[in-house]
């Protein structure tokens, strides 16, 4: 970083106009303005860097508060702008305003536009990466406004002990429109509420962070700057806002965090040793902005109403305390290897001069200790040493640096004063040595004390030397660490190759597992066929039982008919028997109807499931087809690039050979012309013999030049051949990668087809299992009902047989008894009527049993639903297994793509540096988006979404550079 410089926090004060409720209430306009930097409230003046009256426009506020910070951020400094004040004082209007109105927009949209305007006007050798974050502090919890699932983020420190929000969404942008879309998205997720003082009261502190990194592509100089744009929630008095419930809890947390901010400001203004940054997350995030490495501007927003006079005075006192805080700002610069080397050389020169100074002082001190008198011309000259140091500093400052922002290594003012004081003390002691030598007997103790002081000074100089040596060792260790990092990158490439082999082995294992599953499916199908045969057997048994039941019923009806004939009431008996048969058939019909209903329901559910699985499979097929088309497009683009590069290399080679031949011919002509000139001169002087000798020498020289050129040409052609071989190797590698990709696609299709086949078989198995369970339950119900009916019929038959026997006996007795014939017949009739009543009771009992069976039907349906839920659970487990397999395939594809990218990057590194710009900007033009995808730009055949890093070149044009 550059030399640190102190700067105070700038405090701006803004008063809003009276709102409608204050006008209707009859509030007075209390502020009185004196000039542009003073406001008087209640007879007391308050001075700030600038005071804005109620009629000030948004543009005037921006030009005074934030315009300079844009330039500072692009020069590598950190910046912060935040608005402070009570609720409904105009903070959100000042920071945001109307985001899409050119006149009413606030600081944030104007500063975004200004940043890009500065970039477009800067040197085109600069390359920028801009990323933004947007989060809020709600109920003392950090909540990401660009990803609402991140609700409780934490604050950490980086290696330079600068706080940052860990896990916050960082979105790369390359135009003001993308930044405004991001702001709109975050603003829609921010917490607001309605209070008695504000219809749109902010219930959280919002922080919009802009991170700008720039790199000079020529000098490789890197700078970075962060800009915090903070909209604080306003302090509230519950008696005025009327907050209740959740709004009251929000007000408590807002007031607590603002009181923590006030405590930090007070501690910094008073200069106390402990600053309570950790009392709230807001002060923790703004730690670097308050007393750290940041240019900070505070806009205090005040209400002009007499109703809010106490809150306005408190806000003005806060601004006055904040104005006394000083920040130490430095440029965030990342030195290159060449600059580190220069810094090391400068430190080495300084160390060398300091060592020479220390040795001279030690020699002089030893001479004084030995009792010698050192002459004045041999004594250490302070002015001469200062002149040497100044000369060394001038040489260092005169050396051309790689960039104008390269910092020099200088001593601070405190260290310079300390060194001058120590040197003055040393020279004073040396000047007093003459008097002390004449008075040795009287000043022996004083000399001992001075010698001890000199030893302490020497020890401190040795410590400084050791510190410099430790710094040098640290730099060397960093150099070694960079070498180790390069080795680690190579090892990572090797590990990628090993991982690729492992993934291929995993694919083979998966195929084996699929084969095992197919075998299991075949076994299950055999088991299913055996179950079908068992089901057929059970159906035959049930049919046989039905036949038996019908036979028994027919025999029973026959018996009833005979009894009716014997008794004389045939019509009644047949009527009763017919009604029992109808009831039985009715119960059987109901059972069959319930069975058909359950089957229809299961079939409908199954149809829905099959439709959903079919739609999911179609979606997956479409996605895979899109991915395949994208891969084919990339392959065609890479092939076109390779063809263009080979043609370009052939053209360059032809031009190079032509230029070499031209150079050789020109050299020969030049040598011949010089030889001819020398021959003509010698002929004029009549020295023909010497001219011949010179001619022979010239011819030898030409011959030697020709041989040297031939050798150079042969070496260049060898190099060209090597380059062509390298190009052919790269083409072979590209072809291999394409073939491997095609093979992977075919394998993916095979796996997909096998997966679909297995899922289909599994569905069939589940359907068969459902049908089997349904058949089992129906059989159980039929068996129970048939057993009950058989038991009742058996009991009835016994009763009929007993009744018939008793009737025959009684009829025989009554026939033998002639006297009481009519009375006996009456008794028989009454007896038969009693039997009919008993039969009706039995029939009623059968109806009750049928009703009980119907009551048991819901229980059976519950069991059926439980089995259906079990089947669904199994299907979800199968779906999860499929998703895991798809995730594994996706991870495998990502690994393959990463290996391809690494190989491609390695090949590009061999061929030289290529353009590293995703969306370059050239002079006079805005970045152009794709017509079909406005958020996606193409460059060099690659696609960059908003989630990918986007670099912006200063100067702005839409053509890509060829390095």
């Amino acid at each position: 970083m550059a030399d640190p410089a102190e700067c105070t926090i700038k405090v701006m004060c803004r008063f809003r106009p009276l709102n409608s409720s204050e006008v209707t209430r009859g509030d007075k306009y209390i502020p009185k303005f004196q000039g542009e930097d003073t406001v008087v409230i209640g007879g007391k003046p308050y001075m700030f860097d600038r005071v804005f009256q109620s009629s000030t426009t948004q543009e005037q506020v921006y030009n005074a508060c934030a315009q300079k910070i844009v330039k500072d951020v692009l020069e590598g400094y950190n910046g912060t702008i935040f608005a402070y004040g009570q609720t409904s004082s105009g903070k959100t209007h000042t920071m945001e305003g109307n985001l899409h109105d050119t006149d009413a927009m606030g600081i944030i949209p104007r500063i975004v536009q200004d940043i890009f305007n500065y970039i477009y006007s800067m040197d085109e050798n600069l390359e920028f990466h801009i990323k933004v974050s947007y989060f809020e502090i709600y109920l003392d919890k950090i909540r990401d406004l660009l990803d609402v699932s991140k609700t409780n983020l934490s604050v950490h420190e980086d290696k330079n002990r600068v706080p940052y929000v860990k896990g916050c969404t960082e979105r790369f942008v390359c135009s003001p429109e993308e930044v405004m879309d991001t702001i709109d998205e975050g603003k829609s997720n921010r917490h607001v509420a309605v209070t008695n003082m504000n219809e749109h009261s902010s219930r959280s502190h919002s922080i919009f962070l802009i991170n700008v990194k720039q790199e000079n592509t020529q000098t490789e100089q890197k700078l970075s700057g962060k800009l915090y744009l903070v909209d604080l929630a306003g302090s509230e008095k519950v008696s005025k806002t009327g907050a209740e419930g959740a709004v009251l809890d929000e007000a408590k947390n807002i007031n607590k965090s603002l009181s923590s901010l006030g405590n930090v400001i007070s501690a910094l203004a008073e200069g106390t040793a402990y600053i309570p940054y950790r009392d709230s997350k807001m002060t923790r995030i703004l730690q670097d902005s308050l007393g750290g490495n940041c240019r900070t501007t505070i806009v205090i927003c005040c209400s002009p109403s007499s109703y809010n006079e106490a809150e306005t005075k408190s806000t003005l006192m806060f601004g006055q305390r904040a104005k006394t805080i000083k920040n130490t700002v430095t440029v965030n610069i990342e030195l290159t290897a060449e600059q580190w080397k220069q810094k090391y050389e400068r430190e080495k020169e300084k160390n060398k001069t300091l060592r020479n100074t220390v040795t001279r002082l030690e020699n002089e001190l030893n001479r004084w200790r030995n009792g010698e008198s050192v002459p004045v011309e041999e004594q250490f000259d302070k002015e001469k040493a200062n002149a040497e140091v100044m000369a060394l500093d001038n040489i260092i400052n005169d050396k051309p640096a790689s960039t104008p922002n390269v910092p020099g290594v200088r001593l601070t003012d405190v260290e310079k004063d300390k060194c001058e004081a120590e040197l003055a003390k040393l020279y004073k002691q040396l000047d007093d040595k003459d008097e002390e030598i004449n008075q040795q007997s009287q000043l022996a103790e004083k000399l001992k004390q001075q010698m001890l002081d000199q030893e302490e000074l020497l020890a401190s100089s040795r410590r400084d030397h050791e510190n410099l040596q430790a710094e040098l060792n640290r730099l060397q260790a960093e150099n070694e660490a960079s070498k180790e990092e390069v080795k680690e990158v190579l090892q990572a490439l090797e590990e990628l190759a090993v991982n690729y082999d492992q993934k291929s082995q995993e694919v083979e294992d998966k195929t084996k597992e699929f084969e095992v599953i197919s075998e299991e499916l075949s076994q299950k199908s055999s088991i299913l066929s055996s179950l079908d045969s068992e089901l057929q057997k059970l159906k035959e048994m049930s049919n046989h039982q039905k036949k038996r039941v019908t036979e028994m019923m027919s025999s029973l009806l026959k018996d009833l008919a005979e009894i009716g004939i014997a008794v004389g009431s045939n019509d009644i008996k047949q009527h009763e028997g017919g009604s029992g048969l109808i009831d039985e058939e009715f119960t059987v019909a109901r059972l069959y109807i319930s069975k058909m209903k359950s089957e229809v329901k299961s079939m409908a559910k199954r149809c829905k499931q099959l439709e959903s699985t079919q739609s999911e499979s179609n979606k997956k097929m479409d996605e895979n087809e899109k991915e395949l088309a994208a891969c084919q497009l990339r392959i065609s683009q890479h092939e076109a690039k390779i063809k263009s590069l080979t043609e370009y290399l052939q053209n360059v080679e032809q031009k190079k050979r032509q230029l070499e031949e031209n150079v050789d011919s020109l050299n020969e002509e030049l040598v011949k012309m010089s030889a001819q000139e020398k021959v003509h001169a010698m002929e004029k002087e009549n020295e023909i013999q010497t001219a011949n000798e010179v001619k022979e020498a010239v011819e030898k020289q030409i011959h030697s030049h020709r041989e040297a050129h031939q050798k150079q040409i042969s070496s260049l052609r060898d190099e060209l051949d090597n380059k062509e071989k390298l190009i052919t190797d790269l083409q072979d590698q590209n072809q291999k990668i394409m073939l491997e990709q095609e093979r992977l696609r075919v394998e993916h299709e095979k796996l997909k087809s096998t997966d679909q086949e297995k899922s289909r078989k599994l569905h069939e198995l589940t359907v068969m299992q459902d049908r089997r369970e349904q058949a089992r339950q129906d059989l159980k119900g039929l068996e129970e009902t048939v057993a009950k009916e058989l038991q009742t019929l058996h009991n009835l038959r016994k009763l009929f047989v007993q009744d018939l026997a008793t009737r025959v006996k009684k009829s025989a007795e009554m026939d033998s008894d002639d006297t009481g014939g009519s009375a006996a017949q009456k008794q028989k009739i009454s007896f038969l009527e009693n039997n009919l009543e008993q039969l009706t009771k039995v029939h009623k009992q059968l109806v009750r049993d049928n009703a009980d069976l119907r009551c048991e039907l819901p229980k059976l349906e519950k069991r059926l639903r439980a089995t259906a839920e079990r089947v669904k659970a199994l299907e979800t487990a199968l779906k999860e297994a499929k998703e895991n397999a798809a995730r594994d395939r996706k991870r495998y594809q990502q690994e393959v793509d990463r290996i391809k990218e690494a190989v491609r990057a390695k090949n590009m590194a061999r061929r030289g540096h290529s353009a590293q710009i995703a969306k370059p900007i050239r002079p006079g033009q805005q970045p152009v988006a794709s017509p079909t995808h406005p958020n996606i730009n193409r460059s060099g055949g690659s696609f960059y979404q908003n989630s990918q890093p986007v670099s912006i070149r200063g100067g702005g044009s839409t053509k890509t550079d060829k390095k």
Side-chain angles (χ1 to χ4, degrees), residues 709-799:
H709 284 300
Q710 290 294 330
K711 289 180 180 179
Q712 289 179 358
I713 289 167
S714 62
S715 63
L716 288 172
R717 286 177 180 170
D718 292 335
E719 289 180 0
L720 287 172
D721 292 335
N722 292 329
K723 295 291 183 182
E724 289 178 355
K725 288 180 181 179
L726 183 59
I727 289 167
T728 55
D729 292 337
L730 291 174
Q731 290 177 352
D732 293 337
Q733 288 180 2
N734 190 12
Q735 190 67 24
K736 288 178 181 178
I737 289 170
M738 289 170 63
L739 292 172
E740 184 67 22
Q741 187 178 3
E742 186 66 23
R743 186 180 66 79
L744 290 173
R745 186 179 66 78
V746 172
E747 289 180 357
H748 175 68
E749 292 294 333
K750 289 181 180 178
L751 290 172
K752 189 175 179 182
S753 61
T754 54
D755 191 8
Q756 290 177 355
E757 184 65 24
K758 287 174 181 177
S759 63
R760 185 179 61 78
K761 290 181 179 179
L762 185 60
H763 290 324
E764 292 177 357
L765 285 172
T766 53
V767 170
M768 296 299 291
Q769 185 70 19
D770 292 337
R771 290 179 180 175
R772 190 179 69 181
E773 291 293 330
Q774 188 75 30
R776 283 182 181 176
Q777 290 176 1
D778 294 339
L779 286 173
K780 284 181 181 178
L782 286 172
E783 286 176 357
E784 289 176 357
T785 53
V786 168
K788 287 181 180 179
E789 293 291 336
L790 288 173
Q791 186 67 31
T792 53
L793 289 172
H794 187 65
N795 293 331
L796 285 171
R797 191 171 182 179
K798 285 182 179 179
L799 289 172

Side-chain angles (χ1 to χ4, degrees), residues 503 506 510 883-893:
K503 292 296 179 181
E506 288 179 2
K510 292 289 182 182
E883 289 176 354
N884 291 329
R887 206 176 295 117
D888 291 335
R889 284 198 296 273
K890 187 176 180 181
R891 197 181 299 115
Y892 171 71
Q893 188 65 31

Side-chain angles (χ1 to χ4, degrees), residues 53 59 107-108 352 386 458 462 492 499 520 546 633 640 652 764 837 946:
Q53 299 184 19
E59 186 176 1
I107 290 175
I108 293 176
K352 188 176 179 181
N386 290 333
L458 288 172
R462 287 194 183 95
N499 289 333
E520 291 179 356
K546 285 179 182 178
L633 180 60
V652 169
E764 292 177 357
E837 287 176 1
N946 281 342

Side-chain angles (χ1 to χ4, degrees), residues 949-962:
V950 177
S951 60
I952 305 173
R953 281 192 180 274
S957 152
T958 56
K959 291 183 178 180
T960 55
D961 287 343
K962 287 185 179 180

Side-chain angles (χ1 to χ4, degrees), residues 146-165:
L146 302 181
D147 186 358
V148 294
S149 62
K150 300 176 181 178
T151 56
N152 192 6
L153 301 175
S154 58
V155 182
H156 291 251
E157 289 184 350
D158 59 10
K159 61 181 180 180
N160 296 322
R161 300 189 67 79
V162 176
Y164 70 97
V165 179

Side-chain angles (χ1 to χ4, degrees), residues 585-711:
E585 290 178 354
F586 184 68
T587 55
V588 173
R590 283 198 175 182
L591 286 171
Y592 278 111
I593 288 166
S594 64
K595 179 180 178 183
M596 290 174 70
K597 283 183 180 180
S598 62
E599 287 182 355
V600 168
K601 288 180 181 179
S602 63
M603 290 294 290
K605 290 181 181 178
R606 195 62 199 154
C607 287
K608 290 180 181 179
Q609 291 175 358
L610 289 172
E611 288 176 358
S612 63
T613 52
Q614 186 177 3
S615 62
E616 289 176 358
S617 62
N618 290 329
K619 288 180 182 178
K620 289 181 181 178
M621 287 288 289
D622 294 335
E623 291 175 358
N624 290 327
E625 287 176 358
K626 289 179 182 178
E627 290 178 358
L628 183 60
C631 291
Q632 289 175 355
L633 180 60
R634 289 180 185 173
I635 289 166
S636 61
Q637 288 174 356
H638 287 303
E639 287 177 353
K641 275 189 177 182
I642 290 168
K643 287 180 182 178
S644 62
L645 288 172
T646 52
E647 290 175 359
Y648 179 71
L649 286 173
Q650 289 175 359
N651 293 329
V652 169
E653 185 180 359
Q654 290 176 1
K655 289 179 182 180
K656 189 175 182 182
R657 288 181 180 175
Q658 290 176 2
L659 290 173
E660 286 175 353
E661 291 174 358
N662 292 330
V663 169
D664 292 337
S665 62
L666 289 172
N667 286 329
E668 289 179 359
E669 289 177 2
L670 181 62
V671 174
K672 286 179 181 179
M673 289 177 70
S674 62
Q676 287 177 3
E677 287 178 359
K678 288 182 181 179
V679 168
H680 286 304
M682 290 179 181
E683 284 177 356
K684 288 179 182 179
E685 294 175 359
N686 295 323
E687 294 178 355
I688 297 169
Q689 187 176 359
T690 56
N692 291 328
E693 292 176 357
V694 170
K695 189 174 181 180
E696 291 176 358
V698 169
E699 288 177 353
K700 290 180 180 179
Q701 188 176 2
I702 289 169
H703 185 67
S704 62
H705 279 297
R706 189 174 296 164
E707 290 179 352
H709 284 300
Q710 290 294 330
K711 289 180 180 179

Side-chain angles (χ1 to χ4, degrees), residues 481-496:
S482 63
K483 291 180 181 178
E484 291 178 358
E485 287 179 359
V486 172
K487 291 180 181 178
E488 288 177 357
V489 170
L490 295 175
Q491 290 178 359
L493 289 174
E494 294 176 357
E495 289 177 358
L496 286 174

